[in-house]
Amino acid sequence: MPGAGPSAGNARRRLLLGGGLAAASAVVSIRPALANTAASVLNCQIPVPDPAKGMGQMIAPDGKLVPKGTKGAFPASSKPFTGEEVKAALRGGRSLPGTSYEQNRAYLNYIRRLQNGTSGFTCYASLQMPR
């Protein structure tokens, strides 16, 4: 029977070992990529509000954009928040930097309402994914 001798068994073994080495090398190369992804998620930025859609508007306590001068609303943040800052605030451990208690709640409500196509949405969505 051709291919049934000892050399065929060695050839199959080499093929399996070669496949195992390829899989091991893939694991080694994927782990650093995942670490870089986790780091980039924490460094991504979320502007409050989206500069293109919220120009000249304020943030209401429920997170909706309202016209400038609306009573009880908060001005736009002077700088975007990082993913790390938002993640810590969402977990209840800290407030967003430079915000009062009420302002923090309004900004977090705005962030929770982010939708696809809004600046900061991808960052926020990345924070929601389990690790």
Side-chain angles (χ1 to χ4, degrees):
M1 194 186 249
S7 64
N10 287 340
R12 268 191 238 123
R13 192 173 308 119
R14 279 194 301 265
L15 183 62
L16 288 173
L17 285 174
L21 290 174
S25 106
V27 169
V28 170
S29 64
I30 290 172
R31 286 185 191 229
L34 291 176
N36 288 341
T37 301
S40 68
V41 165
L42 295 179
N43 292 319
C44 63
Q45 296 188 333
I46 302 175
V48 177
D50 178 343
K53 298 182 180 184
M55 182 85 91
Q57 295 193 355
M58 297 178 76
I59 311 296
D62 65 359
K64 292 181 181 175
L65 292 176
V66 294
K68 196 172 231 170
T70 301
K71 189 173 178 149
F74 300 95
S77 172
S78 59
K79 69 171 191 73
F81 299 106
T82 66
E84 186 171 16
E85 293 166 340
V86 171
K87 187 174 187 176
L90 287 169
R91 289 192 172 159
R94 291 186 270 180
S95 293
L96 294 169
T99 63
S100 66
Y101 176 79
E102 293 82 14
Q103 191 175 24
N104 179 66
R105 287 183 51 143
Y107 285 3
L108 289 177
N109 286 335
Y110 170 82
I111 291 168
R112 286 184 188 106
R113 299 171 64 89
L114 287 174
Q115 296 181 358
N116 196 8
T118 307
S119 186
F121 172 77
T122 303
C123 182
Y124 175 63
S126 298
L127 294 174
Q128 303 306 307
M129 292 185 186
R131 302 248 171 254

